[in-house]
Amino acid sequence: MRVLCAGDEFVGNNLLADAVRAELATEPEFSELSLPWPVEPFGPVGGVHEASGTEEQVIEALAGAEVAVTQMAPFTKKVFAAAPELKLVSVCRGGPVNVDLAAATEAGVAVTYAPGRNATAAAEFAIGMILAAMRRISTSSAELLGGTWRGDYYAYPNAGLELEGTTVGLVGYGAIGSRVAKVLVAFGSKVLVADPYAKPEQIAADGAELVELDDLLRRSAVVSLHARLTDETRHLINAERLALLPDGAVLVNSARGGLLDYAPLPDLLKSGRLGALALDVYDVEPPPADWALRDAPNVIATPHLAGASRQTAERAARIVAAEVGRYARGEQLANVANPEVLR
């Protein structure tokens, strides 16, 4: 079997190849393609989203490959047309946004993905962002290192909130949101959840309360976003819904930039209607030089790092390699994005 490892600077070819070897009874023939993400940002390529590298690079590296494992390589209609021997693309991401699923299905190629691969890392990061925003950890650190001692942050009107006893709203209750909820409950927070697809009995068992989104926004001192980005959820948190938040609320988005309408945020922060904002994802990545939030108060901004743990990279490689092993043994694939191709 010929396997293309199209790795990058996070999930490298060595991780992918070693994981595949561990799954197969015989040594496969490997070809490799090294992609520049995350040193260079991802973007749209040939009609797919969030990809790194070019179609031409993938086509050249694929020559004769039956299986491809990757995180960021673009698998487009052009790529599938040029790779007649390809039968499986295993993507080590929560969703195969770098793959044209319609073209893959038309070409008879199964596409798998890796749900939950970064759930632990992203959940821990979200908790860190919530704490940093509530207690001014990163903003006060930056000011101190810049020469300003903000003793006034200890004044009662400026003091932060504790998680214990605070109502925190989670928008989305998948693998990440559910982990965040359990940590918040352990802190003593009152946790509200808005997710029309979540199981009410699971939310109750985790110690949280399922509510409608608008109710969550009205009642939560802290709101953290954990939904997937779809046509239904794009700009889910818009100006009208931001207006529902209590004065001084904290908003955290470490999920997807498209969930949030960024336009109203600078004015809400400057007026104090929004107490603090913590972002790891953006409507444009990276944000432009004239980004309005650069001058807004109480903003924490990190460069899309929530899933960036070494364990995430290792776990992602193991998940895609397990699919390769199932394919090689003729077993049923576990996480197929286009199951119709199997029929």
Side-chain angles (χ1 to χ4, degrees), residues 168-191:
V168 182
L170 304 179
V171 181
Y173 205 72
I176 298 169
S178 59
R179 281 173 168 81
V180 172
K182 292 171 185 175
V183 176
L184 292 171
V185 168
F187 266 104
S189 301
K190 168 67 174 177
V191 180

Side-chain angles (χ1 to χ4, degrees), residues 83-226:
E85 296 180 23
L86 187 63
K87 298 301 178 187
L88 172 67
V89 175
S90 196
V91 178
C92 50
R93 304 177 71 182
V97 293
N98 54 315
V99 180
D100 183 332
L101 287 179
T105 303
E106 184 179 350
V109 178
V111 178
T112 67
Y113 59 104
R117 53 128 196 184
N118 65 353
T120 299
E124 291 178 357
F125 195 91
I127 294 292
M129 294 284 266
I130 290 170
L131 288 168
M134 292 176 72
R135 303 298 301 276
R136 303 182 190 271
I137 293 171
S138 60
T139 51
S140 61
S141 173
E143 289 171 320
L144 178 60
L145 293 172
T148 302
W149 178 274
R150 292 297 303 269
D152 60 308
Y153 281 160
Y154 218 112
Y156 181 85
N158 299 330
L161 296 172
E162 298 173 356
L163 273 174
E164 184 173 357
T166 294
T167 299
V168 182
L170 304 179
V171 181
Y173 205 72
I176 298 169
S178 59
R179 281 173 168 81
V180 172
K182 292 171 185 175
V183 176
L184 292 171
V185 168
F187 266 104
S189 301
K190 168 67 174 177
V191 180
L192 305 180
V193 174
D195 187 335
Y197 304 103
K199 296 179 179 178
E201 61 274 15
Q202 184 60 58
I203 291 173
D206 291 341
E209 178 185 352
L210 181 64
V211 298
E212 295 296 324
L213 177 58
D214 288 358
D215 186 29
L216 178 148
L217 295 171
R218 292 188 185 98
R219 295 169 58 187
S220 299
V222 180
V223 173
S224 186
L225 307 186
H226 301 285

